[in-house]
Amino acid sequence: MRQMLPWSTFSPTRRHILAAGLVGLGTGATALGSSLCRAAEAATLRKLAAEKGLLYGTTIAATQITGDRPFADLVRHEAGLVVAENEMKWQVMNRGAPDDDDYAPADTIADFASANQLVLRGHNLLWYHRTPSWFFNLTDRQQQEQAVIDHIRGLAGRYRGRIHSWDVVNEPIEPKDGRPDGLRTEVFLETLGPEYLDLAYHTARGADPNAQLVVNEYDVELDSPEHEARRGALLHLLEEMRRSGTPVDAVGIQAHLTAAGGPAFSAPLLRRFLADIASLGLSIQITELDVTDEKAPADVAVRDRLVADTYRRFLDAVLDEPAVKMVVTWGLSDRHSWIVRRETYQTKWRTDDATSRPLPFDADLEAKPAFDAIAGAFAHAPQRIPG
Ligand code: XIL
């Protein structure tokens, strides 16, 4: 049984949506309790997505499951899928030596998914940016290859049968590196050559034959020469993988978007790109959606509207493509966002001290206009065959 949240826990925005649902139900007073439950159920992102054959989910961290009960409850309520924000990354799990990995935090997330009947994504098997330092010191090619195989077999094998889809290689392309094939010149390419992709995907297929195998990539969404070059390189890679029989099932579009001050967005251009991917027989997942408001005005109402508009325009465009089967936001509440924490690639643009508001719920777990935008996009999305 899914847990029902009391009415008072819903924000004014959400109560408005729920009340609209109640009007639609035409309830009498005696039926109000159960109608409230039905309306509340109808308004969750999980449910709105599922009605269209879509999976909606979010990242979660083990410490949030163990230490932030209200947030974990919100995840249970809103999400149909979870993905570990960091806990399944090789460098994060590894204690500093080959075959010495700490699976406890990753297990916490996998068990949370099982206990709550949530679909589990795997992120990720190989990412140059989160590779243990000892791997960089290996000089023997056979050892390098064996380390990659052992890692993929160990991690994907541990959760065999429990993972919906694995990001096997994260962020494999970078046209700026100047290779004709557009591949990123990173540690796995430098040690094993471009064949590392074939090795990784075949090993993943063997370790968990029922998991969808995904190529996950960023900055392929917008109308700029840089994104265009990245789209071309990604399509080229996918065509090559298809041609050579490398097992790949889906493409992950990360979609870390900006509400203001970024490159232009063109819905027709993005739709064309998604159709090109679909024509290769691949499904598409939106894997890391969030909207930074770093260059938007400080005024909260203005910022929230710009963020919501960005979600709406993006989702309306991508959900037109029936091959898009999944939408994952990179967090659910501004309380836990890498943008708010300013990690990794996040530059500080603001001169004021305003805290970023990139996700559907604010730091107090109240729904924001971004929630309404995502809910609306799911409600208007064409029906699709789940994937
Ligand atoms: C980010 C996490 O959100 C941060 O907590 C961490 O410090 C760095 O990684 N693309 C990806 C994700 O594929 O794994 C990244 O996650 C965000 C960019």
Side-chain angles (χ1 to χ4, degrees):
M1 260 292 269
R2 300 259 320 282
Q3 183 204 2
M4 285 309 311
L5 298 180
W7 185 245
S8 57
T9 59
F10 294 108
S11 65
T13 328
R14 302 213 65 209
R15 284 192 216 128
H16 176 73
I17 295 169
L18 302 181
L22 278 178
V23 170
L25 288 167
T27 59
T30 49
L32 189 64
S34 63
S35 298
L36 249 181
C37 285
R38 280 205 303 280
E41 188 68 2
T44 67
L45 296 180
R46 162 198 186 128
K47 186 78 195 313
L48 290 166
E51 278 166 5
K52 298 302 169 66
L54 276 165
L55 255 171
Y56 167 74
T58 176
T59 46
I60 192 160
T63 51
Q64 293 156 15
I65 293 168
T66 53
D68 189 350
R69 177 70 192 271
F71 177 72
D73 284 346
L74 185 69
V75 171
R76 263 189 273 268
H77 193 251
E78 293 292 336
L81 170 152
V82 286
V83 54
E85 182 169 1
N86 288 300
E87 288 81 344
M88 292 191 187
K89 293 170 185 171
W90 193 359
Q91 187 190 44
V92 174
M93 319 182 71
N94 190 259
R95 293 192 181 97
D99 299 323
D100 187 9
D101 296 314
D102 177 8
Y103 278 96
D107 283 351
T108 299
I109 289 172
D111 293 344
F112 177 80
S114 306
N116 296 288
Q117 288 98 48
L118 303 177
V119 173
L120 182 62
R121 274 198 103 241
H123 177 77
N124 49 57
L125 294 173
L126 293 184
W127 187 21
Y128 72 95
H129 197 50
R130 285 289 181 273
T131 302
S133 52
W134 56 259
F135 185 87
F136 291 80
N137 298 330
L138 298 178
T139 47
D140 179 77
R141 189 194 153 104
Q142 216 186 332
Q143 277 185 351
Q144 291 158 339
E145 197 172 305
Q146 199 55 50
V148 164
I149 293 172
D150 289 349
H151 171 63
I152 294 177
R153 282 196 187 143
L155 180 51
R158 184 179 185 91
Y159 300 112
R160 181 187 175 105
R162 297 174 71 184
I163 298 272
H164 175 279
S165 37
W166 265 116
D167 293 330
V168 178
V169 177
N170 200 32
E171 305 179 351
I173 61 153
E174 184 47 276
K176 280 191 208 149
D177 285 352
R179 291 175 53 95
D181 59 11
L183 288 177
R184 182 184 288 275
T185 308
E186 41 85 297
V187 61
F188 301 109
L189 187 121
E190 282 177 331
T191 51
L192 304 173
E195 304 81 48
Y196 88 90
L197 286 147
D198 195 53
L199 176 74
Y201 282 82
H202 274 292
T203 309
R205 183 66 98 217
D208 190 353
N210 292 322
Q212 291 185 30
L213 304 185
V214 185
V215 176
N216 197 39
E217 197 47 86
Y218 71 97
D219 279 0
V220 291
E221 303 86 10
L222 302 178
D223 185 5
S224 74
E226 189 184 334
H227 284 227
E228 182 59 29
R230 297 177 60 80
R231 280 191 287 274
L234 180 56
L235 273 176
H236 175 74
L237 170 64
L238 297 168
E239 281 160 7
E240 275 303 298
M241 290 173 87
R242 284 312 229 179
R243 197 191 48 74
S244 63
T246 302
V248 57
D249 305 300
V251 175
I253 309 281
Q254 290 189 7
H256 293 292
L257 307 178
T258 49
F265 169 73
S266 155
L269 196 82
L270 182 58
R271 284 203 208 101
R272 177 74 253 149
F273 174 57
L274 299 180
D276 286 345
I277 294 174
S279 73
L280 296 172
L282 300 168
S283 75
I284 300 165
Q285 307 176 346
I286 307 304
T287 50
E288 304 188 12
L289 179 59
D290 58 12
V291 180
T292 180
D293 55 3
E294 281 281 282
K295 293 193 202 168
D299 182 88
V300 167
V302 175
R303 258 195 297 152
D304 279 2
R305 187 174 52 72
L306 288 169
V307 168
D309 284 351
T310 307
Y311 274 111
R312 185 179 298 109
R313 278 185 299 128
F314 176 77
L315 286 173
D316 283 351
V318 299
L319 295 179
D320 246 16
E321 169 53 60
V324 174
K325 311 287 188 189
M326 180 193 289
V327 175
V328 178
T329 49
W330 206 242
L332 186 60
S333 148
D334 299 338
R335 183 184 286 193
H336 302 297
S337 161
W338 73 311
I339 292 172
V340 177
R341 295 192 303 262
R342 297 188 184 287
E343 288 171 352
T344 317
Y345 312 111
Q346 306 302 329
T347 326
K348 181 165 168 51
W349 291 99
R350 310 203 72 88
T351 45
D352 55 62
D353 281 334
T355 308
S356 276
R357 297 169 60 85
L359 291 168
F361 289 82
D362 72 11
D364 296 325
L365 311 183
E366 296 279 329
K368 291 159 45 190
F371 172 91
D372 300 350
I374 300 171
F378 289 167
H380 295 128
Q383 194 70 43
R384 68 210 58 229
I385 300 162

